[in-house]
Amino acid sequence: MTVQAEALRRFVQTVVEAGGSTPTEARSVAHNLVEANLTGHDSHGVGMLPRYVDNLLAGGLQANQTLRVVSDHGSLLTLDGNAGYGQVMGEQAMALGIARARQHGVAVLGLANAHHIGRIGAWAEQCLDAGLVSIHFVNVISEPIVAPFGGSDGRFVTNPMCVGIPVAGADPIVLDFATSRIAMGKVRVAHNKGETLAPGILIDDQGQPSTDPGVMFREPHGALLPFGEHKGYGLAVACEILAGALTGGITLHGRPSPHAIINNMLSFIVDPERLGTAARLTQETRAFADWVTASPPMPGQRVQLPGEPERAWRCQRNMDGVPIDAATWSQLLAAGARLGLEETALRQIAQA
Ligand code: NAD
């Protein structure tokens, strides 16, 4: 089925409010999840909601939290997300970081202990709207599902990193990816659709290559591989330590609670105006962008800049709506039912 973005937002907002959130919190969660679908990242879209409901009911996700400032030294901030909705904690943390970057030229922000903060590109986009460059390193405290380079079982999660660069008068650069070959949510989406995955992404519980996303949903489960062999693995290690330790958060070791997905994030936010290089940043980025995208394309391809695919998806899905596969849809209805919402009423919201 296909659902229009506005109806999908109302659907998510209804479920999150039924979980005890204020309308403002529920709106933020709904906006953020639907944005992930709109930008083509169904892995981090509304399909996450059933897991959020499970975690909420099990006490691993707390509704209506406010960011706690652990330490404040002007351009250096350490924050605790109190296991609150990452959509809200992320937004509050970036707002603080943006204000400090404007004041001091740069802000270094440690956000520890937020529940799942979703698509990291959203936080770069918040900084881009303020004309600021940002770099984000994230770790994930959840069931370990990514194998280290040379290893054969999951030891960490999909640790994403993200860079946002504003370009005056042109589209920004937004690089935002998991350090695993693909995000776990994309394995879930393939599993829900009954599809197989390309070779080189998964290993089974014996460490053998597999194309079956089911290896991640049966016990003992298999693992995702890091992208780029030792390089992606190395970046995942850097994310784990920068986000999980330098922020005052935790790194993954042992088996964490199955009732939460905790994210820690270290963010650097820089004001190019204050650095005195804003004009050069624009001029050189535009020159390089023109140069690099002029590379003669390989057959059937074209050179794009990071952030371009998401803009194209957003354009298309804002017009056509967001496709929701049958398994995800029934998981969403079941999540609503767990919070006492009638299936018929939820169907009506999605179809309105
Ligand atoms: P992906 O593999 O789709 O890569 C996306 C990045 O690559 C984007 O910057 C995109 O613009 C760029 N890109 C894609 N195709 C391109 C092309 N042809 N040319 C140039 N650039 C191109 O993303 P992913 O690794 O599947 O991650 C998906 C999302 O999952 C991200 O938003 C990430 O932040 C999120 N994530 C979140 C968590 C979490 O714990 N919160 C964990 C992992 C991933």
Side-chain angles (χ1 to χ4, degrees):
M1 64 189 281
T2 302
V3 184
Q4 288 302 316
E6 193 43 46
L8 200 52
R9 279 188 210 102
R10 278 199 300 274
F11 180 101
V12 176
Q13 180 169 350
T14 304
V15 174
V16 176
E17 272 191 61
S21 289
T22 61
T24 310
E25 174 160 284
R27 245 193 316 275
S28 289
V29 175
H31 174 81
N32 177 281
L33 291 180
V34 173
E35 271 301 297
N37 290 108
L38 287 175
T39 50
H41 294 291
D42 293 334
S43 55
H44 286 69
V46 300
M48 289 302 298
L49 192 58
R51 181 77 196 277
Y52 289 4
V53 171
D54 288 349
N55 292 352
L56 184 76
L57 293 173
L61 163 60
Q62 303 293 324
N64 303 321
Q65 296 300 303
T66 307
L67 201 60
R68 185 166 65 85
V69 178
V70 178
S71 83
D72 180 350
H73 297 283
S75 61
L76 301 170
L77 277 167
T78 311
L79 308 164
D80 189 302
N82 295 318
Y85 274 104
Q87 285 76 11
V88 176
M89 298 302 117
E91 199 176 328
Q92 291 180 1
M94 288 307 116
L96 263 176
I98 288 167
R100 297 304 171 89
R102 286 217 182 294
Q103 195 180 350
H104 302 284
V106 64
V108 181
L109 209 68
L111 169 62
N113 190 32
H115 194 264
H116 192 243
I117 57 177
R119 185 177 73 93
I120 310 307
W123 313 123
E125 284 163 6
Q126 196 176 334
C127 298
L128 289 167
D129 287 344
L132 303 173
V133 171
S134 67
I135 305 170
H136 311 263
F137 297 93
V138 179
N139 83 327
V140 193
I141 303 301
S142 177
E143 181 71 13
I145 51 166
V146 182
F149 181 65
S152 61
D153 69 352
R155 295 284 155 159
F156 49 92
V157 193
T158 49
N159 293 0
M161 77 152 297
C162 177
V163 178
I165 304 170
V167 188
D171 290 320
I173 307 285
V174 186
L175 177 65
D176 170 27
F177 57 70
T179 47
S180 49
R181 279 291 310 273
I182 63 172
M184 179 58 194
K186 288 182 178 157
V187 184
R188 184 194 72 235
V189 171
H191 185 58
N192 282 351
K193 288 181 176 169
E195 292 172 356
T196 54
L197 289 167
I201 293 176
L202 291 170
I203 51 177
D204 66 17
D205 63 300
Q206 301 298 310
Q208 295 304 309
S210 175
T211 56
D212 173 14
V215 300
M216 299 305 288
F217 297 92
R218 293 189 287 271
E219 287 301 331
H221 62 68
L224 277 157
L225 294 171
F227 86 90
E229 302 181 328
H230 57 290
K231 300 177 190 184
Y233 162 60
L235 190 52
V237 170
C239 284
E240 190 70 33
I241 296 166
L242 292 175
L246 190 57
T247 58
I250 52 168
T251 63
L252 187 50
H253 36 78
R255 300 273 155 193
S257 159
H259 304 304
I261 310 169
I262 294 296
N263 276 143
N264 303 291
M265 173 163 71
L266 182 71
S267 300
F268 298 88
I269 307 177
V270 179
D271 185 348
E273 291 288 349
R274 297 289 304 274
L275 204 55
T277 59
R280 180 57 69 94
L281 175 70
T282 301
Q283 180 192 324
E284 287 299 320
T285 310
R286 295 182 81 149
F288 178 71
D290 288 347
W291 162 254
V292 79
T293 53
S295 173
M298 298 285 275
Q301 304 214 34
R302 83 191 164 84
V303 180
Q304 300 183 73
L305 290 166
E308 228 177 299
E310 285 74 15
R311 279 192 293 279
W313 278 114
R314 192 182 263 131
C315 209
Q316 189 190 320
R317 288 187 165 183
N318 262 322
M319 279 190 306
D320 301 348
V322 173
I324 307 282
D325 65 77
T328 303
W329 178 237
S330 63
Q331 288 161 7
L332 285 169
L333 292 175
R338 294 190 69 197
L339 295 173
L341 295 168
E342 293 279 345
E343 207 178 292
T344 336
L346 286 173
R347 283 183 193 281
Q348 275 168 1
I349 293 172
Q351 278 150 17

